Amino acid sequence: MTAPATSPVTAGPRTPVHRVNFRFSPGGRYAACLTAGDDPAAYPELWDLTGHEPRPRALRTWDGENAATVPLPTDDGDLLLCRSGPYGSRLTFAPGGGPEEAELMAVRRGGLRLLPGTALVLEMDGDGGTTVWRLPGGAAPPERLTRLPHPVGAAARLDERGESVALGAGEAGTLVLDVTSGAVTSLGLPADEHLLLAASGLLLTAVPHGSGHRLGLRALGDPAPAAVLEGLNRIEGSVAPLALDPAGRLLALSVTRRARSHLLLHDLTADTSSEVELPPGSLHPVACWAEDGLRLVHSGGDRPTGVITIVGPSASRAGGERSGWATPRTHDYPAPEGGTEAVVYGEPGSAPGLVVALHGGPEAGWRLGFDPLFQRLAAEGIAVVAPNQRGSTGYGTAHREAVQGAWGGPDLADILHLGRHLTAERGPGRARPMLYGVSYGAYLALLAAAAEPDLWERAVVVAPFLSGPLLHQDGPVPVRNLIDRLGGREEIHDDLGPRDLLRLAGCIRVPLLVVHGEHDPVIPVTHSRRLTGRLRETGHPSVTYAEIPDAGHDPLSDLGGQATRERVLAFLRHPPQ
């Protein structure tokens, strides 16, 4: 099969540095996202995909937007905006993406959610149920179709016109909604088999297999068990299905291997894959396979996130706009067992400053996508080494599961080994490495600062937690489930002892900036408050606590996080004396 090509993305009226919440119109004629640049206020951006090259256009709204706004374009170039906040949710219609808006509906309890690829909006009523509304088009008010006594998760359009939609309804299984009549029936899948994608009467499902799932295929309405393709399920890496082609023969897959994403097209008839050449970077988990090509959302280390279209019969390279950003690379560093790959900006051995950045998770990893904070650090002459230590994804099962039941064990050993190596590489007379971490990475950074305080110059931690057991006690249900699955409450018995930051606070002596969002839904803000209080009790020489009003789990990466990023940059440039 001949590899398709990618069409380039051109710059919009200003060069943005952060784009989130991408959505495509049902037919793939338009895309929309939220964008933030130098201005702390975010704004919608509408992408016209009907020409030879995507044409993004910035749209201004009266009060600016935040990361809770979800824009959804129509195939006519209009825009729906779903806004959520502490006082409820509301849905508005902006014809032509213009500044004039008409409110379609608003709710105070629960929330609203637009279903991409459909003309449906879901109202979560706060009692565990979901009311489904149909959007007739334009500024016409929504029409109530039905209420389901279940929360609705995934959704997939079952026919080309979107008149039949499958809805994942938790314990009720996968349901089929007739959009014209509101009738609801069962799709007929086993309760533990989940629909992922659909096209031309073909269903891609997640089929239970041992302790996990495999990808399976079945025809719509066929009671036979799903066919599990061996070639499809042998693909190495972290595999995420993106889209089925309109004919139902090709499946687009994002495959993460090490620090970059790969695009594979899998022929479902031949059960074979071919790779489409893309610039090094990261694919986002949203796509649309239109009649004229496959639309993807992609970012490179030196290219802000944008839309690319796979077309053609010939292969060529193309990516997003380039704006003088630093080009990161990957580098393998020595580790206690094997090596640790890292995403690297600048020259760690000779730069005036060096930051070792630790990702959250622990089941996560740094990728070669665009990172506004790392770009700003590189522009300031501060090199960045972002390691994918043991526990990170993209490096096989053994690497990922190395911290199972051992949080702050093998991964901490990798970080300390890396810190010693970088210090030796920099030589005498240069500043020691600094630490930066978010969530689990913040916890790991504080453990590293406690284990070897003289190895580090200073540290910034965003949304740290105190320990696995304390987070299990205080955190929300999904976090407690993750801790149980990964063995985060098990203790390690070595010279450092239990990985409890309240116990280890007296060992942390580096200048420290602690940042936490006031409304963090993942890690309670009380963990940072208790930590900074304990550090001050121990006589810590320099700890600064910044609690960010109205912010969530990652106030630096949130749209509108520019002020917080500037505060972090200032601390890394000029630590308090």
Side-chain angles (χ1 to χ4, degrees):
M1 181 170 56
T2 305
T6 59
S7 66
V9 177
T10 56
R14 59 184 294 190
T15 302
V17 296
H18 194 194
R19 289 178 174 135
V20 299
N21 294 358
F22 265 95
R23 299 291 188 276
F24 290 97
S25 66
R29 293 171 56 84
Y30 291 87
C33 66
L34 288 184
T35 303
D38 297 329
D39 188 334
Y43 55 91
E45 198 173 41
L46 184 66
W47 292 62
D48 186 340
L49 308 177
T50 60
H52 293 297
E53 295 182 351
R55 298 185 297 279
R57 175 166 59 95
L59 309 174
R60 293 298 179 181
T61 51
W62 288 107
D63 299 321
E65 307 294 341
N66 59 41
T69 298
V70 177
L72 183 66
T74 72
D75 279 326
D76 296 324
D78 300 324
L79 193 64
L80 296 163
L81 291 165
C82 188
R83 298 181 175 99
S84 298
Y87 303 108
S89 298
R90 63 191 184 98
L91 178 66
T92 66
F93 171 77
E100 299 299 325
E101 296 181 25
E103 185 171 288
L104 301 183
M105 64 184 303
V107 297
R108 289 193 175 274
R109 295 182 66 238
L112 298 175
R113 180 173 140 224
L114 291 165
L115 289 184
T118 73
L120 301 178
V121 58
L122 304 181
E123 177 189 351
M124 286 67 74
D125 57 21
D127 296 321
T130 305
T131 300
V132 185
W133 300 80
R134 186 176 73 87
L135 300 175
E143 300 170 350
R144 187 181 188 277
L145 283 178
T146 188
R147 183 185 184 276
L148 304 173
H150 321 282
V152 171
R157 191 169 60 177
L158 295 176
D159 63 283
E160 186 176 345
R161 299 180 62 181
E163 295 177 348
S164 181
V165 176
L167 303 172
E171 295 179 356
T174 304
L175 307 177
V176 178
L177 172 66
D178 186 319
V179 176
T180 57
S181 68
V184 177
T185 57
S186 172
L187 185 60
L189 296 182
D192 52 0
E193 183 176 341
H194 309 294
L195 179 65
L196 303 176
L197 300 170
S200 298
L202 184 70
L203 307 180
L204 178 74
T205 66
V207 181
H209 178 77
S211 59
H213 288 80
R214 303 181 78 189
L215 296 176
L217 293 171
R218 59 167 65 240
L220 180 63
D222 188 345
V228 176
L229 303 184
E230 294 302 320
L232 176 61
N233 284 280
R234 280 199 303 266
I235 296 173
E236 295 183 359
S238 300
V239 179
L242 295 175
L244 284 162
D245 81 318
R249 171 163 180 170
L250 296 177
L251 170 64
L253 301 163
S254 171
V255 180
T256 301
R257 297 178 185 141
R258 298 175 70 86
R260 64 167 290 184
S261 295
H262 302 261
L263 175 64
L264 269 60
L265 299 184
H266 193 85
D267 188 317
L268 298 173
T269 301
D271 196 19
T272 57
S273 295
S274 62
E275 183 169 349
V276 178
E277 185 181 10
L278 293 177
S282 178
L283 284 168
H284 292 230
V286 58
C288 176
W289 207 320
E291 291 295 335
D292 61 343
L294 172 62
R295 319 280 197 209
L296 301 168
V297 178
H298 180 271
S299 74
D302 58 352
R303 292 178 306 277
T305 306
V307 178
I308 58 176
T309 302
I310 307 301
V311 294
S314 59
S316 65
R317 266 185 149 194
E321 62 264 39
R322 296 177 182 270
S323 307
W325 302 109
T327 301
R329 63 193 184 279
T330 58
H331 184 80
D332 287 323
Y333 287 97
E337 294 184 13
T340 298
E341 185 184 52
V343 177
V344 178
Y345 294 72
E347 299 300 329
S350 59
L354 169 62
V355 169
V356 175
L358 306 181
H359 64 72
E363 285 187 324
W366 295 116
R367 306 294 177 233
L368 278 169
F370 190 84
D371 190 294
L373 176 63
F374 294 172
Q375 288 291 345
R376 284 295 309 277
L377 288 168
E380 298 277 352
I382 300 174
V384 178
V385 174
N388 285 328
Q389 68 279 348
R390 280 177 285 180
S392 306
T393 56
Y395 300 83
T397 302
H399 191 88
R400 184 185 72 247
E401 295 183 351
V403 300
Q404 180 85 29
W407 286 19
D411 48 0
L412 177 60
D414 288 350
I415 297 309
L416 295 175
H417 195 92
L418 175 63
R420 298 183 207 112
H421 174 86
L422 292 170
T423 299
E425 183 180 66
R426 290 173 66 77
R430 295 191 184 276
R432 294 166 295 176
M434 299 176 279
L435 285 164
Y436 168 78
V438 177
S439 192
Y440 184 87
Y443 171 68
L444 188 59
L446 289 166
L447 291 178
E452 296 192 25
D454 295 332
L455 186 58
W456 313 102
E457 186 76 18
R458 68 201 84 130
V460 176
V461 292
V462 182
F465 58 89
L466 297 171
S467 70
L470 287 173
L471 183 58
H472 189 276
Q473 173 182 303
D474 301 333
V477 171
V479 172
R480 295 202 298 270
N481 291 341
L482 181 143
I483 292 170
D484 287 338
R485 181 170 61 83
L486 298 181
R489 287 191 286 173
E490 298 182 30
E491 290 190 353
I492 296 174
H493 301 282
D494 58 13
D495 291 342
L496 186 62
R499 284 10 182 204
D500 184 328
L501 293 177
L502 292 178
R503 186 186 69 86
L504 295 170
C507 302
I508 301 172
R509 313 307 294 170
V510 297
L512 181 64
L513 172 62
V514 181
V515 180
H516 212 126
E518 178 187 16
H519 299 303
D520 188 338
V522 179
I523 296 174
V525 69
T526 52
H527 278 229
S528 282
R529 295 172 184 168
R530 293 176 64 189
L531 173 64
T532 52
R534 178 62 182 146
L535 286 166
R536 288 168 180 147
E537 287 175 2
T538 67
H540 190 287
S542 178
V543 58
T544 303
Y545 178 49
E547 189 168 303
I548 310 304
D550 300 323
H553 183 53
D554 187 356
L556 272 75
S557 295
D558 287 347
L559 293 173
Q562 180 71 9
T564 308
R565 286 197 294 272
E566 292 299 330
R567 184 165 186 174
V568 167
L569 286 163
F571 179 86
L572 294 173
R573 285 193 302 259
H574 307 292
Q577 299 301 318

